[in-house]
């Protein structure tokens, strides 16, 4: 006897079409993230055209508020009036560009486009998580607690000063914070661990943003955009994440490129960016013993001169 024929496999259901508003959000969001990370906060393209950026932001500020921007100087703060105004300018340009893009192209975004968007966000996140993670291993961000700081009372401290002394008091905890940033950076480099890396990066950056907000650290805008990049990466993988949560099977992540030159070029660019960031960061970091000696010498020098800390600044008694 012959066995009955096996039932035919059900035909795959076609993917639902993208609505116009979803395509607009995708296009405008792509333009915004690209412009912000390339020429906005801590621009990847450098600050060679700083005067043009300031002039553009000043023009928008005059248009909205009828007065020029406050004088712009490089203070290390990423939350100045210039930074917020320029981010608003980038948002406006991106919304306009996204609208034109959506009207000009009514096709659904291709898998290659979504993959390249994800790859760009992976590089940005891995780059900055590496920079901030390495700085904690070398005590280049918080430093180490020195005797002069111990003379500061809580009442004389700013919220940011309290956070900095809390971190500076423990080299071990700075190592832990560095691992929390370097681990997702490494996971983001391989396509099989991108989702896990984005998930850990989102948790890490949520904590960083909360510290910046509630301790008034002037890197709120930039840390919020790094968190946004991690969330967008997770959203691009939303279907596979939902399948994992609900216990359903899901397809493996497709190969990284559809062109023979795309993958090698992407790896070369990524290696150059990360290599430059690592070299630049490590070259400016003190070693543990050197950092301890410098902290002790600085504190002793200020104490012998009769100085103490008030609102994070040395004042004579």
């Amino acid at each position: 006897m012959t066995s009955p024929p096996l039932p035919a496999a059900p035909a795959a259901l076609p993917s639902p079409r993208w609505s116009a508003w979803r395509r607009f959000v995708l296009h405008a969001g792509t333009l915004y993230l690209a412009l912000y990370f390339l020429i906005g906060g801590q621009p990847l393209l450098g600050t060679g055209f700083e005067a043009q950026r300031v002039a553009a932001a000043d023009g928008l500020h005059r248009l909205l508020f009828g007065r020029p921007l406050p004088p712009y100087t490089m203070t290390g703060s990423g939350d100045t009036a210039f930074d917020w105004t320029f981010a608003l300018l980038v948002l406006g340009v991106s919304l306009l560009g996204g609208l034109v893009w959506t009207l000009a192209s009514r096709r659904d975004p291709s898998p290659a486009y979504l993959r390249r968007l994800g790859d760009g966000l992976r590089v940005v996140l891995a780059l900055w998580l590496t920079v901030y993670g390495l700085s904690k291993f070398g005590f280049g961000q918080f430093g180490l607690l020195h005797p002069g700081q111990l003379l500061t009372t809580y009442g004389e401290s700013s919220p940011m000063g309290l956070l900095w002394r809390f971190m500076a008091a423990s080299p071990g905890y700075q190592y832990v914070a560095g691992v929390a940033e370097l681990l997702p950076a490494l996971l983001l480099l391989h396509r099989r661990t991108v989702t896990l890396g984005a998930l850990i990066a989102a948790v890490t950056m949520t904590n960083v943003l909360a510290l910046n907000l509630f301790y008034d650290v002037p890197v709120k805008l930039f840390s919020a955009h790094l968190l946004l990049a991690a969330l967008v990466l997770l959203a691009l993988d939303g279907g596979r994440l939902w399948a994992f949560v609900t216990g359903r099977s899901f397809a493996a992540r497709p190969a990284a490129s559809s062109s023979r030159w795309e993958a090698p070029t992407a790896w070369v660019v990524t290696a150059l960016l990360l290599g430059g960031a690592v070299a630049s960061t490590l070259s400016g970091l003190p070693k543990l013993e050197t950092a301890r000696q410098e902290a002790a010498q600085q504190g002793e020098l200020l104490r012998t001169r009769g100085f103490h800390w008030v609102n994070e600044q040395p004042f004579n008694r």
Side-chain angles (χ1 to χ4, degrees):
M1 296 180 61
T2 59
S3 58
L6 296 175
L13 295 176
S15 301
R17 292 293 306 273
W18 284 61
S19 61
W21 72 267
R22 287 183 64 199
R23 287 186 287 113
F24 168 72
V25 170
L26 177 66
H27 296 155
T30 299
L31 290 174
Y32 178 77
L33 290 171
L35 290 173
Y36 181 83
F37 285 119
L38 288 174
I39 64 174
Q42 302 193 32
L44 292 177
L45 295 183
T47 56
F49 49 94
E50 196 68 25
Q52 292 82 355
R53 295 202 311 151
V54 173
D58 183 68
L60 179 61
H61 198 274
R62 291 173 185 270
L63 179 65
L64 294 177
F65 304 106
R67 60 179 184 273
L69 274 174
Y72 175 71
T73 55
M74 295 292 290
T75 62
S77 171
D79 293 328
T80 63
F82 160 74
D83 293 294
W84 286 95
T85 305
F86 193 78
L88 183 60
L89 177 63
V90 169
L91 177 61
V93 171
S94 302
L95 291 175
L96 181 60
L99 179 60
V100 173
W101 190 352
T102 303
L103 293 175
S105 176
R106 300 181 182 275
R107 295 179 300 176
D108 287 352
S110 66
Y113 165 39
L114 296 176
R115 186 187 64 247
R116 291 181 184 117
L117 171 60
D119 288 346
L121 294 177
R122 286 167 58 192
V123 171
V124 168
L125 266 178
L127 173 67
W128 289 113
L129 288 173
T130 299
V131 169
Y132 281 104
L134 287 177
S135 69
K136 292 175 176 62
F137 278 94
F139 312 104
Q141 183 175 3
F142 300 104
L144 292 174
L145 197 63
H146 60 73
Q149 291 174 300
L150 297 177
L151 300 175
T152 305
T153 67
Y154 277 101
E156 294 170 334
S157 302
S158 68
M160 178 178 169
L162 286 176
L163 174 62
W164 245 242
R165 280 191 289 278
F166 166 76
M167 296 296 294
S170 174
Y173 190 73
Q174 291 192 56
Y175 291 148
V176 172
V179 170
E181 292 173 336
L182 282 178
L183 177 60
L186 293 175
L187 292 173
L188 286 168
L189 295 179
H190 197 281
R191 66 185 180 90
R192 294 183 181 274
T193 55
V194 168
T195 306
L196 179 59
L199 189 60
I200 298 176
V203 174
T204 298
M205 291 312 305
T206 297
N207 180 61
V208 171
L209 178 59
L211 291 173
N212 290 343
L213 287 173
F214 300 120
Y215 282 88
D216 196 24
V217 181
V219 200
K220 306 175 187 68
L221 190 61
F222 188 66
S223 59
H225 281 79
L226 291 179
L227 174 58
L228 177 61
L231 293 176
V232 171
L233 265 178
L234 289 175
L236 291 174
D237 232 3
R240 301 176 75 248
L241 273 175
W242 181 246
F244 174 78
V245 171
T246 56
R248 294 185 287 111
S249 61
F250 51 89
R253 185 181 294 276
S257 81
S258 56
S259 166
R260 60 178 297 188
W261 298 109
E262 184 177 337
T265 302
W267 275 110
V268 168
V269 172
T270 303
L272 289 175
L273 286 173
L274 287 176
V278 169
S280 175
T281 304
L282 291 179
S283 65
L285 296 180
K287 295 181 179 179
L288 177 58
E289 190 57 37
T290 303
R292 284 175 171 165
Q293 293 175 359
E294 290 177 352
Q297 291 171 359
Q298 183 181 12
E300 186 61 30
L301 177 63
L302 291 169
R303 279 197 303 178
T304 57
R305 294 182 179 180
F307 284 86
H308 71 131
W309 254 251
V310 176
N311 292 329
E312 320 319 318
Q313 298 293 330
F315 281 82
N316 202 307
R317 293 184 183 278

